[in-house]
Amino acid sequence: MIDESKLEVGQVLWLNVKYQKNVESKVEHPMLICRVEKKFIEVIALDKTAGKLHQLFHKYNYLINSLNPKESVIFEDSYAQLNTKLTIELTEELIKARKTVNKLSQDKLQDLIETYNDYQKYNQINDEINVLETQLNELMEEWEMLQA
């Protein structure tokens, strides 16, 4: 088990995860850590806005400006997907998925987490897109396939 203090809220992990029951991601996606507990972390899926500005019309997507202040954990404007809940078992291997120890700037992080928590509280999350407990072995299998 990893010491939960090694991963912090606001850091970004790059993971290959299963978003839906039968749909598995083929590439690594940035996931912003929004909660760290003793046995798991909760992350918010991020995606870039380039070529996908139409996604911002959905109330479940939240714009993160990569400037003002300039961010070091995202390199271009992105959006956070508020309509999924992803929890991951806290293990040492997750450290490898972190490309930097930097975090999203405090004001943006605080507003994003507040908006995420409100969305999760006041909206019904469709179980077809709600990912609960992505297990370590699934992540590690995907990691090993990518490394091969």
Side-chain angles (χ1 to χ4, degrees), residues 9-11 32-36 42-44 109 113 116-117:
V9 171
Q11 293 177 331
L32 183 117
I33 300 171
C34 65
R35 189 167 140 205
V36 179
E42 185 173 335
V43 295
I44 302 172
L109 178 61
I113 290 175
Y116 170 78
N117 288 334

Side-chain angles (χ1 to χ4, degrees), residues 19 43 45 81-86 116 120 125 129-131:
Y19 280 103
V43 295
Q81 300 171 14
L82 308 177
N83 62 336
T84 59
K85 183 172 185 155
L86 180 59
Y116 170 78
Q120 292 280 316
I125 306 300
I129 59 173
N130 190 19
V131 181

Side-chain angles (χ1 to χ4, degrees), residues 14-20 22-31 138-139 142-143 145-146:
W14 289 79
L15 301 170
N16 185 332
V17 298
K18 190 180 290 185
Y19 280 103
Q20 299 173 347
N22 297 317
V23 179
E24 191 170 315
S25 170
K26 300 294 182 202
V27 297
E28 292 179 341
H29 289 276
M31 305 284 168
E138 292 176 28
L139 289 171
E142 294 165 11
W143 174 262
M145 288 185 339
L146 288 171

